[in-house]
Amino acid sequence: MIKLLIPLFSALMLTHVSNAQHLNPVSYKDGAQQLNGLVTSNTGKNLPGVLILPAWKGIDEEAKTAALALEKQGYIAFIADIYGEGNIPADNTSASKSSGYYKTNYEAYQHRISLALDQLKKAGADTGKIAVIGYCFGGTGALEVMRAGFPVQGVVSIHGGLGKDKNRPNGEITTKVLIENPADDKGVTPEIYDALVKELNDGNADWQIITYGNSGHTFTNPKSAEYNEIMAKRAWQHTLMFLEELLN
């Protein structure tokens, strides 16, 4: 009897492994620059789509974990490659320089995001049900999607940089906006915060800012010394609730 059960158990294990979630690489280009994104395994099913913009060191575990979690919720998720092959930062210094370039040259950042949105649509996402979420530098990118007026249903900025150049005018905002802001983020000064609120109001946006107490900048990242498990879980639930409202 035991000998009969062993092959059955092995078959069940193989079935479980074959059905396990995974992320598939996607190669695309910006001119001559090779870009390497990742997409969930549920492509081609005309499902709501979520574009994930990673933090300042490029595609990381937090972005991958989010993509797999979103797949379980019924979304096609695509993780963008903003920097491109050969340009992935190796340390904080190079990450600061690379992300700083795109924050200053925001039109180049918006362009790289638009290319990633195209890949999400090619993966089968319903073009009328798309949202963008971003972490840190990617959270800044989510706000650039808002500012560019891309045709998405909503954006979520998770501990993102909230400021923009003072010389850039405020414009109409057509997408819904959720900003998840840690209370102790030293990069978000009162002046930056107030300017963003004015920008959102000037644009007649449907917006919400949730502030998480006792939380430093990278409060959602389990690998960060600033990780706040309770607040991170709340932030994720707020993200899911927002996406559910917009896309389902």
Side-chain angles (χ1 to χ4, degrees):
M1 184 66 176
I2 294 176
K3 289 182 179 179
L4 291 174
L5 288 174
I6 290 174
L8 178 60
F9 178 76
S10 298
L12 289 172
M13 288 301 293
L14 286 173
T15 300
H16 175 74
V17 171
S18 65
N19 290 333
Q21 287 182 288
H22 61 278
L23 297 172
N24 295 319
V26 177
S27 295
Y28 59 113
K29 287 191 173 183
D30 182 2
Q33 176 62 62
Q34 180 72 35
L35 302 168
N36 301 304
L38 292 171
V39 70
T40 48
S41 58
N42 57 344
T43 55
K45 297 184 178 181
N46 194 38
L47 297 169
V50 180
L51 178 66
I52 300 174
L53 303 177
W56 69 341
K57 287 186 178 178
I59 296 175
D60 58 10
E61 288 304 314
E62 185 169 26
K64 293 176 184 178
T65 299
L68 294 174
L70 289 168
E71 181 181 9
K72 288 182 178 179
Q73 297 293 324
Y75 303 108
I76 298 173
F78 184 86
I79 309 176
D81 176 9
I82 299 301
Y83 299 134
E85 191 170 292
N87 300 315
I88 306 303
D91 51 37
N92 288 351
T93 300
S94 55
S96 178
K97 181 178 180 181
S98 296
S99 63
Y101 169 83
Y102 284 99
K103 288 177 183 178
T104 300
N105 298 279
Y106 64 90
E107 290 180 336
Y109 195 7
Q110 291 172 346
H111 178 62
R112 287 281 167 92
I113 295 171
S114 72
L115 295 177
L117 280 169
D118 288 343
Q119 293 301 316
L120 176 60
K121 294 172 185 176
K122 288 179 181 178
D126 184 336
T127 57
K129 295 183 177 181
I130 290 178
V132 179
I133 72 172
Y135 296 89
C136 187
F137 168 56
T140 303
L143 295 181
E144 287 303 335
V145 170
M146 173 194 81
R147 291 165 181 147
F150 290 159
V152 301
Q153 278 55 60
V155 299
V156 185
S157 175
I158 305 169
H159 57 80
L162 305 184
K164 70 172 183 179
D165 191 296
K166 294 179 180 179
N167 293 321
R168 293 175 65 183
N170 294 337
E172 182 184 6
I173 297 171
T174 57
T175 189
K176 295 183 180 181
V177 183
L178 171 61
I179 297 165
E180 300 179 353
N181 182 52
D184 301 327
D185 190 338
K186 296 180 176 60
V188 179
T189 65
E191 291 77 17
I192 288 175
Y193 184 95
D194 291 345
L196 176 64
V197 170
K198 184 177 188 303
E199 179 182 7
L200 294 166
N201 286 331
D202 286 352
N204 294 312
D206 177 339
W207 65 272
Q208 183 175 13
I209 299 176
I210 302 176
T211 300
Y212 299 88
N214 305 308
S215 298
H217 173 60
T218 51
F219 77 106
T220 62
N221 190 342
K223 294 188 176 181
S224 168
E226 296 178 317
Y227 179 58
N228 184 322
E229 183 178 7
I230 292 175
M231 294 299 177
K233 288 180 178 179
R234 289 178 185 173
W236 184 245
Q237 289 304 312
H238 292 147
T239 298
L240 293 181
M241 184 167 58
F242 184 70
L243 295 177
E244 172 72 20
E245 176 191 324
L246 298 182
L247 306 181
N248 293 296

